[in-house]
Amino acid sequence: MAIHNADVAALFDEIADLLEIEGANPFRIRAYRNASRTLQGLGVDISAMVSNKEDLTQLPGIGKDLAAKIVEIVETGHSIALDKLRKASPPGLTELLKIQGLGPKRVSALYHELDIHTPEQLYRAAKDKRIRTLPGFGEKTETRLLDAIESHVQRDQRLKLATAAQYAEPLVAYLRKIEGVNKVVIAGSYRRCKETVGDIDILVSAKSSPPVMAEFVVYDEVQQVISKGQTRATVILSNKLQVDLRVVTQQSFGAALHYFTGSKAHNIAIRRRGQQRGLKINEYGVFKGITRIAGETEVSVYQAVDLPYIEPELRENRGEIETASQGLLPQLIELKDLKGDLHAHTRATDGRHNLEEMALAAQKSGLKYIAITEHSKHLTVAHGLDQRALLKQMEEIDRLNSQLQGITLLKGIEVDILEDGQLDLTDEVLGKLDLVIGAVHSKFHLSRQKQTQRILRAMDHPHFTILAHPSGRLLQQREPYDVDMPRIIRHARQRGCFLEVNAHPERLDLLDTYCQMAKTEEVLVSINSDAHSILDFDNLRYGIGQARRGWLEKNDVLNTRPLKSLRKLLKQTM
Ligand code: DGT
Ligand code: CA
Ligand code: CA
């Protein structure tokens, strides 16, 4: 079975986790984490690189030792170093790390002091009020942990969209090569660009279905065949991802695509609309009595119920059908509409590449400008910049801008919003920048009122431009902090500042429904990669998906503006 980038990354993460619980050298731990990040963002297949004998040390953060470990994992499926670490600790210990609020230090304390190494043991200990006795835990932490364990246990097996894509895209390419296959399209929540997907639904139109079925179930990654019929099959891939495949005829393709794209709520509403017109709609077509009147294309299905085509990202039955019937659907933003990226890091803090490398990579992705927005000094884990280091970087940017052609670097900062709403750098230096992104990176557990006030106060700062990842959630890892988002959106409007749609696959933050609210309030959003490496500009597509789910158009997005208009808009905030 082929080893994917994500598989190697997961093993490296596990090594880093175990080393950290063990209390190993922080630099060693960091090296594994960096390597994992490189692999997760890598656009090329690491297995292919290994079999082509390419030099892996070319990759950011991969030295000789890690390169050898990658080769070992790709060739054997495991790592001896990891096996050793696993042996030295009870199984399941790393499972505890997935519980919100538990880092390696705390897991280490729980394990060494209370011999806790499973979520169940942790739950019992918290119920028995034993956790609070540990130094550094306390009663509050104990209560918080109880909630966290509960949501951990309930968490389902959904995959992040970008992770699913790593598996789905090669499978689609494989299916396209089968003889007699016309079209292969992924439907379901994947096509609607939901941030996580439960399974993958693939539709194929082909001359004949048996060869497709036969080839599908022998795909290299298939671990288990759940069912296999004449025209449909379900399998589980090696990463536990379920894939449903259906082969349909050309004349039903549109109807099937519509049906299996969903959402279910949207389908039901469309079917009802059909019934009102005396039509029956199912995955085979649109029927008047026994006559098929539409179904070859999705457009024909919508036409049959007097609607224009509705984009998949809108199909959640959140008002799109009514809006479509009034002819008022938005013209959704597309990736090519982005002219720049306003959030990127370099090696000066926790990024992997230098200014010039980032600028050239952005240009290669079709962008005209990028803002360099390093962390500020308060964020010590990321080596945040102080005033002096920032001023020095600004000089470098000036120098580079005078050399670069066709791409412009903007001077920015991702400045920490401190607990009291102050920003982590002085007005004097912030005033010299092109833009100031404010971000919450600490004190996630303030009360709703305090958290909201903290952010509102930061936004009132004279130099504040964009609120980074406004909810602070990390998909499947950290819930959004408790904050009055409608109030923040309204405040952004009054204040004339902007909100970020952070495109990182783990963030996708602003949330889709709040994108919609920002649009209604006429607050522009900025779709930003938050790039920490030259590979991360690829993530912009997930930000676009998120924005499309939030009904956003080109004009609703700050960084679709050409540089000159952008500068004007930025000036207005400062
Ligand atoms: P997921 O997989 O949980 O992320 O979400 P979906 O939307 O991909 O759901 P899934 O895979 O269960 O089904 C794919 C599509 O098939 C779904 O979006 C709509 C359609 N579908 C499934 N079951 C029903 C149903 O009972 N009625 C209707 N009208 N459509 C259905
Ligand atoms: Ca699905
Ligand atoms: Ca499905």
Side-chain angles (χ1 to χ4, degrees):
M1 206 116 36
I3 302 283
H4 289 273
N5 299 1
D7 303 327
V8 185
L11 294 187
F12 279 179
D13 277 331
E14 194 180 338
I15 293 178
D17 288 342
L18 288 169
L19 284 173
E20 211 167 342
I21 294 171
E22 219 177 51
N25 179 339
F27 288 101
R28 226 175 120 209
I29 298 165
R30 213 174 158 73
Y32 282 106
R33 298 236 187 266
N34 287 343
S36 161
R37 258 174 92 165
T38 294
L39 287 160
Q40 288 179 52
L42 197 61
V44 292
D45 186 25
I46 195 76
S47 289
M49 286 185 76
V50 169
S51 58
N52 296 338
K53 302 235 177 312
E54 284 175 55
D55 178 11
L56 304 183
T57 61
Q58 303 275 11
L59 297 171
I62 309 288
K64 253 197 179 146
D65 175 54
L66 285 167
K69 289 220 166 58
I70 293 176
V71 173
E72 179 195 10
I73 292 168
V74 167
E75 286 176 352
T76 70
H78 39 159
S79 146
I80 291 174
L82 176 57
D83 293 344
K84 271 194 198 145
L85 283 166
R86 278 180 180 159
K87 261 203 204 126
S89 69
L93 196 56
T94 48
E95 182 73 16
L96 286 181
L97 289 168
K98 295 183 190 144
I99 294 169
Q100 195 178 342
L102 282 188
K105 265 209 199 90
R106 283 189 163 159
V107 169
S108 174
L110 288 166
Y111 173 50
H112 292 114
E113 305 294 327
L114 297 178
D115 199 25
I116 290 172
H117 47 85
T118 68
E120 293 72 29
Q121 291 169 334
L122 180 65
Y123 187 80
R124 219 168 306 130
K127 278 278 183 208
D128 296 347
K129 306 191 187 351
R130 279 189 287 137
I131 305 288
R132 63 181 67 175
T133 61
L134 278 182
F137 278 78
E139 201 176 322
K140 245 184 166 170
T141 310
E142 188 178 75
T143 319
R144 223 180 271 146
L145 275 177
L146 267 178
D147 290 345
I149 302 162
E150 271 161 19
S151 60
H152 174 79
V153 173
Q154 285 162 10
R155 180 167 302 150
D156 52 6
Q157 291 297 312
R158 301 180 68 83
L159 279 193
K160 288 189 271 281
L161 186 60
T163 313
Q166 284 192 12
Y167 290 81
E169 285 174 359
L171 173 55
V172 166
Y174 169 85
L175 293 169
R176 287 214 169 105
K177 284 196 210 128
I178 298 171
E179 204 173 303
V181 164
N182 292 321
K183 278 188 224 148
V184 182
V185 180
I186 307 178
S189 52
Y190 186 96
R191 184 164 178 240
R192 304 198 310 280
C193 284
K194 272 197 73 160
E195 49 214 17
T196 63
V197 299
D199 70 358
I200 298 284
D201 307 278
I202 300 184
L203 282 188
V204 174
S205 87
K207 258 200 231 119
S208 115
S209 95
V212 180
M213 289 298 155
E215 294 283 326
F216 175 54
V217 297
V218 300
Y219 179 56
D220 201 26
E221 293 290 323
V222 170
Q223 192 177 64
Q224 191 189 348
V225 179
I226 303 284
S227 66
K228 178 175 172 251
Q230 284 285 310
T231 59
R232 52 191 298 174
T234 296
V235 302
I236 308 280
L237 300 184
S238 56
N239 69 333
K240 306 290 172 239
L241 180 62
Q242 177 176 320
V243 182
D244 292 341
L245 179 99
R246 291 173 188 81
V247 181
V248 301
T249 61
Q250 189 62 35
Q251 56 173 354
S252 291
F253 194 80
L257 183 55
H258 180 262
Y259 182 90
F260 291 110
T261 296
S263 67
K264 194 168 159 182
H266 174 88
N267 288 356
I268 290 170
I270 292 289
R271 209 179 316 138
R272 195 171 307 129
R273 207 175 152 90
Q275 281 160 2
Q276 288 160 359
R277 286 163 177 72
L279 303 173
K280 190 172 160 229
I281 303 178
N282 58 29
E283 63 264 52
Y284 303 104
V286 181
F287 298 88
K288 190 164 215 157
I290 53 161
T291 318
R292 176 203 301 270
I293 62 157
E296 187 163 348
T297 64
E298 282 191 311
V299 171
S300 76
V301 174
Y302 283 112
Q303 234 166 26
V305 291
D306 305 309
L307 289 175
Y309 177 73
I310 300 177
E311 299 278 5
E313 294 91 338
L314 300 179
R315 301 182 196 171
E316 297 291 347
N317 200 26
R318 289 190 201 144
E320 73 278 8
I321 294 175
E322 176 158 274
T323 309
S325 71
Q326 297 162 343
L328 297 174
L329 281 179
Q331 175 86 38
L332 296 182
I333 182 168
E334 293 175 33
L335 185 57
K336 66 173 169 46
D337 294 328
L338 290 185
K339 297 275 188 312
D341 185 346
L342 297 180
H343 188 163
H345 300 265
T346 75
R347 268 213 301 257
T349 55
D350 60 345
R352 314 263 170 279
H353 294 93
N354 66 28
L355 285 171
E356 186 172 12
E357 289 164 334
M358 292 302 277
L360 296 178
Q363 184 170 30
K364 227 170 146 191
S365 307
L367 302 178
K368 298 282 183 209
Y369 53 84
I370 59 165
I372 301 300
T373 54
E374 308 284 16
H375 292 291
S376 64
K377 61 186 193 301
H378 185 256
L379 201 62
T380 44
V381 291
H383 308 292
L385 302 187
D386 61 12
Q387 171 153 340
R388 236 183 71 200
L390 179 56
L391 288 169
K392 185 170 151 254
Q393 183 180 63
M394 290 165 69
E395 276 172 28
E396 274 177 59
I397 289 178
D398 281 333
R399 197 166 39 75
L400 259 177
N401 273 339
S402 66
Q403 296 166 8
L404 291 168
Q405 304 262 323
I407 179 93
T408 303
L409 289 166
L410 296 172
K411 297 170 205 159
I413 187 84
E414 180 181 4
V415 66
D416 262 40
I417 297 175
L418 305 178
E419 183 173 2
D420 60 1
Q422 305 233 43
L423 303 183
D424 184 31
L425 287 164
T426 63
D427 284 8
E428 197 212 338
V429 65
L430 293 179
K432 293 188 165 119
L433 296 164
D434 296 312
L435 75 161
V436 172
I437 300 186
V440 168
H441 289 129
S442 59
K443 302 280 173 191
F444 299 123
H445 293 294
L446 295 184
S447 70
R448 182 181 182 83
Q449 199 211 346
K450 277 196 182 144
Q451 197 68 280
T452 306
Q453 283 307 325
R454 170 193 193 182
I455 294 173
L456 296 183
R457 215 169 292 150
M459 290 166 97
D460 281 335
H461 196 283
H463 300 303
F464 190 98
T465 330
I466 301 173
L467 178 62
H469 38 75
S471 87
R473 68 105 177 255
L474 291 176
L475 277 166
Q476 301 176 323
Q477 286 174 59
R478 188 169 75 210
E479 297 296 319
Y481 30 74
D482 194 7
V483 76
D484 186 348
M485 196 57 78
R487 180 124 183 250
I488 287 176
I489 293 172
R490 287 195 303 275
H491 199 74
R493 180 196 174 133
Q494 286 160 13
R495 171 64 183 77
C497 62
F498 312 106
L499 300 176
E500 178 176 74
V501 174
N502 190 297
H504 193 284
E506 286 187 355
R507 290 198 181 269
L508 298 175
D509 181 11
L510 212 48
L511 276 56
D512 53 5
T513 45
Y514 288 130
C515 285
Q516 216 169 351
M517 191 178 290
K519 181 190 175 93
T520 315
E521 292 287 336
E522 297 175 36
V523 172
L524 297 189
V525 305
S526 184
I527 302 175
N528 298 335
S529 69
D530 198 351
H532 284 70
S533 114
I534 55 173
L535 308 165
D536 290 346
F537 296 108
D538 282 347
N539 287 336
L540 284 170
R541 66 171 165 143
Y542 298 110
I544 291 286
Q546 181 83 350
R548 287 168 64 89
R549 287 181 59 79
W551 293 51
L552 298 188
E553 303 180 83
K554 183 177 174 183
N555 264 336
D556 303 319
V557 177
L558 179 64
N559 48 331
T560 59
R561 305 292 196 277
L563 185 55
K564 223 169 129 191
S565 343
L566 174 86
R567 281 194 194 279
K568 254 191 227 152
L569 283 164
L570 293 177
K571 280 245 169 59
Q572 286 167 15
T573 64
M574 296 184 94

